[in-house]
Amino acid sequence: MIEKGKISLVQLNILVMLFSLGSAILIVPSALSSVARQDGWISAVIGVALGAGIVQMLVILDRQHPGQSLVESCETILGSFAGKLVGMLYFMFFFLLASLVLRNIGDFITTIVMPETPIQAIHVLFLVIIVMGVRLGLEVIGRASEIFLPWIVVLILVLVFFIIPQIDIDRVQPVFEMGMNKIMYGSLSILGIPYFELVVFLMILPYVNKRQKAGKAFLAGSLLGGFVLILITCLSITVLGWDFTARHAFPSYTLAKKIRIGEFLQRIEVMMAVIWFLTIFFKLTLCFYASALAIAQVFKLSSYRPLVLPLGMIMLVMSLVVYPNIVYFREFSSHTWTPFAFVFGFAFPFMLLLLSKAKKAVGK
Amino acid sequence: MWAIVVMLIGALIAAEELPDLIRGKRRGDIWLFAALLLAGTGLGVAQSLRVEIPNPLDAISFVFAPVGKFLEALFM
């Protein structure tokens, strides 16, 4: 076993929730309402329901080979060569996902909070803490999530309660104006970020205590995260209006800017930004951790830890190269990401599940 | 200037990890570590000298963007 640490069910639950909030809480409301307009919240509900189905499928796949991570079970199912090939593809997927998430937080800070700071400086600072976390291992990440959860919950509650006075329910009308087709198309974006990405947790499930209940905790965490995403989408649409939500790159931040209680409680959006820093920190750490573990398992190393620092160097360059500009990012996330993530988050796992069932049936 | 900083960081990482790796006497571990470190340092130096590094997303977009556009045409 490369990773000797264990995390508890509660920690898994929290990690899944924070992961599914991750960069999605920044990006998803705008993607949803640019397609389904004021019906974006319906897309979110449908997307979360479909996402629960995907998570259930991942849990069933995990039960086929208890104690083996995704990369290891690939080798059991597909044989040595093809298994290693798929394992390497998954390494690249996790690693790319980590670079993209790092770029998300870099773009967020340089466009909104600190426009004059070079993006490299922010990436280096963020990466240092991620590398530290990943080197310390899964147990530490799990415990850190327990420490930070109350802060995130309190901040989300503050955001929701202080924005309630500004809700204008007329903004969701007319309901179902866009028709079922566009609503369904909108829900694809919430499937792409974060539900297809949850495949990362197949690398972590083997290290959970009481494995029998791990599936339930996984599902519950993803539903909780989905609920918060639906909530933020509803608030963005009812407070900002769909057109404003669609036009902004980070509508949930604009939402926090709107908080205004009397003359004394306003401009607290940077405090709210702590929500995104913390959730993105956990998403990034888990993606990076999964990618380091994946490559270590493919090459049968005794530990993933020596690889973390070199991988961090590659990731820094990668995160700077991936999006030449913000238009490229919008185009990539609206057209390319969902089908690409579908291959890794649904098609491959489903194929593996079928093959492993078939193998077991033939074996009997 | 930054290129030198990147190389220094690469050297520091090697100094941090290599002793343990050599004591572990696992050839595979050492090779993979060295390959990744070389790749990381090389990419970092190239980036700091503003050499054009190919974007992996271009290749992914080449394959998957038509699928995404097809889906959009299907639903919209």
Side-chain angles (χ1 to χ4, degrees):
Chain A
M1 260 302 199
I2 293 179
E3 169 67 57
K4 290 179 190 75
K6 287 267 179 190
I7 58 171
S8 71
L9 286 175
V10 179
Q11 287 167 343
L12 175 73
N13 199 327
I14 298 172
L15 284 175
V16 175
M17 187 189 126
L18 297 181
F19 184 95
S20 35
L21 288 178
S23 42
I25 197 170
L26 280 174
I27 302 167
V28 158
S30 142
L32 284 174
S33 56
S34 65
V35 174
R37 302 207 173 169
Q38 71 273 29
D39 293 335
W41 63 278
I42 307 175
S43 297
V45 174
I46 295 173
V48 171
L50 293 174
I54 292 167
V55 170
Q56 198 55 48
M57 192 269 292
L58 294 179
V59 169
I60 296 172
L61 172 61
D62 179 63
R63 289 217 184 105
Q64 296 290 311
H65 297 275
Q68 283 190 326
S69 74
L70 178 64
V71 170
E72 289 167 327
S73 55
C74 270
E75 271 189 57
T76 327
I77 296 168
L78 297 172
S80 180
F81 179 73
K84 276 193 197 310
L85 195 72
V86 175
M88 269 319 272
L89 285 176
Y90 266 106
F91 159 70
M92 286 183 216
F93 177 69
F94 296 150
F95 193 70
L96 190 68
L97 180 57
S99 324
L100 297 182
V101 174
L102 180 61
R103 183 57 184 257
N104 282 152
I105 191 77
D107 272 339
F108 173 66
I109 296 180
T110 48
T111 47
I112 287 183
V113 190
M114 296 194 273
E116 285 175 35
T117 310
I119 195 165
Q120 288 87 342
I122 290 155
H123 282 192
V124 168
L125 279 179
F126 225 80
L127 201 55
V128 166
I129 195 80
I130 302 293
V131 164
M132 274 170 72
V134 173
R135 274 172 68 93
L136 288 172
L138 193 58
E139 269 190 12
V140 178
I141 301 171
R143 285 182 201 150
S145 75
E146 277 183 312
I147 293 174
F148 284 117
L149 181 75
W151 292 93
I152 295 167
V153 171
V154 165
L155 285 170
I156 289 178
L157 286 179
V158 166
L159 174 65
V160 171
F161 279 113
F162 284 169
I163 208 73
I164 279 178
Q166 308 203 23
I167 288 179
D168 181 358
I169 208 74
D170 287 348
R171 293 202 175 98
V172 296
Q173 289 170 335
V175 181
F176 284 112
E177 188 205 5
M178 301 305 288
M180 218 43 212
N181 264 352
K182 283 194 181 176
I183 292 176
M184 288 303 288
Y185 182 65
S187 69
L188 290 184
S189 65
I190 199 170
L191 280 180
I193 314 171
Y195 283 101
F196 289 144
E197 298 167 353
L198 284 175
V199 68
V200 166
F201 278 92
L202 287 188
M203 297 300 297
I204 289 159
L205 282 178
Y207 309 115
V208 179
N209 282 330
K210 299 192 195 125
R211 289 191 44 80
Q212 298 309 312
K213 291 179 186 159
K216 262 189 190 156
F218 188 10
L219 190 63
S222 72
L223 284 176
L224 265 171
F227 173 73
V228 178
L229 286 179
I230 294 173
L231 189 71
I232 297 289
T233 310
C234 286
L235 286 174
S236 299
I237 292 169
T238 51
V239 173
L240 303 170
W242 73 265
D243 49 341
F244 218 53
T245 308
R247 225 177 308 125
H248 273 262
F250 309 112
S252 48
Y253 183 78
T254 317
L255 194 65
K257 264 189 184 170
K258 284 264 175 186
I259 292 177
R260 192 189 172 93
I261 303 289
E263 286 296 316
F264 60 95
L265 195 64
Q266 43 184 304
R267 306 267 353 211
I268 54 169
E269 65 267 17
V270 173
M271 266 171 67
M272 295 299 138
V274 171
I275 305 176
W276 342 139
F277 293 155
L278 289 177
T279 51
I280 288 185
F281 165 74
F282 283 105
K283 180 168 185 178
L284 188 43
T285 312
L286 287 171
C287 289
F288 193 23
Y289 174 81
S291 66
L293 199 61
I295 193 170
Q297 286 178 345
V298 168
F299 288 100
K300 303 241 182 311
L301 263 56
S302 53
S303 164
Y304 70 91
R305 281 189 179 83
L307 304 180
V308 174
L309 284 167
L311 282 176
M313 281 182 94
I314 302 177
M315 195 163 98
L316 180 65
V317 178
M318 199 71 135
S319 66
L320 296 170
V321 171
V322 280
Y323 298 136
N325 50 52
I326 204 92
V327 181
Y328 192 98
F329 163 66
R330 297 279 297 209
E331 174 63 21
F332 183 79
S333 62
S334 64
H335 286 126
T336 314
W337 179 255
T338 308
F340 177 61
F342 170 82
V343 170
F344 287 92
F346 188 82
F348 269 148
F350 192 63
M351 188 190 75
L352 287 171
L353 180 61
L354 288 184
L355 277 176
S356 119
K357 288 248 183 206
K359 246 185 172 176
K360 281 190 182 168
V362 170
K364 275 172 197 164
Chain B
M1 200 270 271
W2 287 110
I4 298 167
V5 174
V6 172
M7 282 192 268
L8 267 177
I9 292 172
L12 279 177
I13 293 174
E16 158 80 20
E17 302 285 5
L18 270 180
D20 277 349
L21 278 171
I22 290 169
R23 231 172 286 137
K25 285 188 183 151
R26 291 177 57 116
R27 276 259 175 84
D29 291 23
I30 299 173
W31 278 115
L32 185 61
F33 170 78
L36 287 176
L37 186 61
L38 273 180
T41 317
L43 282 171
V45 169
Q47 171 77 15
S48 56
L49 297 175
R50 301 187 191 282
V51 178
E52 192 87 3
I53 299 168
N55 182 353
L57 296 198
D58 286 341
I60 294 169
S61 293
F62 181 74
V63 180
F64 288 97
V67 182
K69 293 210 169 110
F70 169 73
L71 277 177
E72 189 179 26
L74 202 66
F75 280 103
M76 295 295 256

